[in-house]
Amino acid sequence: MENNDYEQLLKNIASPLDYSEGLYLVYVELFHTNAEMYNIISEHVTIIKELEFGYLCEAHMQAIPEIARSLSLKNHAVYQIVRLVKLTKSSNNEPV
């Protein structure tokens, strides 16, 4: 296996301390989708598309743990939440 410089790679990812208005494309994977889960998730983010096992959403960084918390409080299993790509710059919400 090739020796990668992970420290360099990690410098380019967002931080939990990101309180900016920057938006990310996020995939929330669940056991199944239904109206209740849609409503819980949509309280925190804009849902772009419903998929077979989850939702594709536009989210601020701080909304990600709120999604997990809200779903778990209602006893819904979260299989993964994947931050796919940054959609807008932090300063003025212009496309990256």
Side-chain angles (χ1 to χ4, degrees):
M1 184 171 152
E2 186 177 317
N3 185 8
N4 291 313
D5 181 5
Y6 293 111
E7 291 298 320
Q8 185 63 33
L9 295 172
L10 293 173
K11 288 180 182 178
N12 295 322
I13 63 173
S15 160
L17 299 177
D18 181 354
Y19 291 94
S20 73
E21 294 298 314
L23 291 174
Y24 293 84
L25 187 62
V26 175
Y27 172 61
V28 181
E29 186 175 82
L30 310 162
F31 174 69
H32 66 283
T33 59
N34 62 32
E36 181 182 9
M37 286 189 256
Y38 183 97
N39 290 334
I40 292 169
I41 294 169
S42 67
E43 290 178 16
H44 305 289
V45 300
T46 301
I47 296 175
I48 303 301
K49 186 173 185 174
E50 183 173 331
L51 303 169
E52 183 177 4
F53 293 107
Y55 299 93
L56 198 57
C57 311
E58 288 182 351
H60 299 286
M61 180 65 81
Q62 294 304 315
I64 295 170
E66 293 299 321
I67 294 168
R69 179 182 171 277
S70 294
L71 288 166
S72 66
L73 285 173
K74 297 287 186 176
N75 205 29
H76 295 297
V78 177
Y79 285 86
Q80 63 178 330
I81 298 178
V82 182
R83 186 181 64 228
L84 299 168
V85 65
K86 189 166 188 174
L87 299 172
T88 59
K89 294 180 181 177
S90 305
S91 59
N92 53 10
N93 283 347
E94 291 184 16
V96 174

